Amino acid sequence: MPASRRDRDGRPLCNHLCHDCGLVFVDPPPARDELETWYEHHYRQDYKGVIEPRPHHVLRAGRAALSRLARIRPLLAGRPRASMWGAGVARCCTC
């Protein structure tokens, strides 16, 4: 059962919640070309209200990324060189 049928601006977007693991995911997922177009042309304006990031936002995001890397680096020792978190299809979810 959907947790929500609208995005934060009231546009149609069906979000589901896995009651086993707590994962929130969109179903059906947008097509890859739709996502690429949205991220390339609309994301920053829709979510940040600007066309280009301000320098202090870039610096803050960079510092936050380095902080996350420092926290997970010990967990990555001896593992593949790349890790992706927070995006993609919920393949491990049982719902």
Side-chain angles (χ1 to χ4, degrees), residues 44-55:
R44 189 161 306 282
Q45 183 67 43
D46 285 355
Y47 278 84
K48 306 295 184 181
V50 296
I51 305 249
E52 290 189 19
R54 295 181 179 101

Side-chain angles (χ1 to χ4, degrees), residues 7-24:
D7 71 7
R8 68 186 200 171
D9 295 318
R11 295 175 292 214
L13 185 70
C14 197
N15 291 288
H16 293 265
L17 171 65
C18 175
H19 295 284
D20 292 329
C21 69
L23 177 72
V24 177

Side-chain angles (χ1 to χ4, degrees), residues 63-75:
R63 287 179 176 157
L66 289 172
S67 175
R68 286 190 300 276
L69 177 60
R71 287 195 313 267
I72 68 169
R73 181 168 272 156
L75 303 172

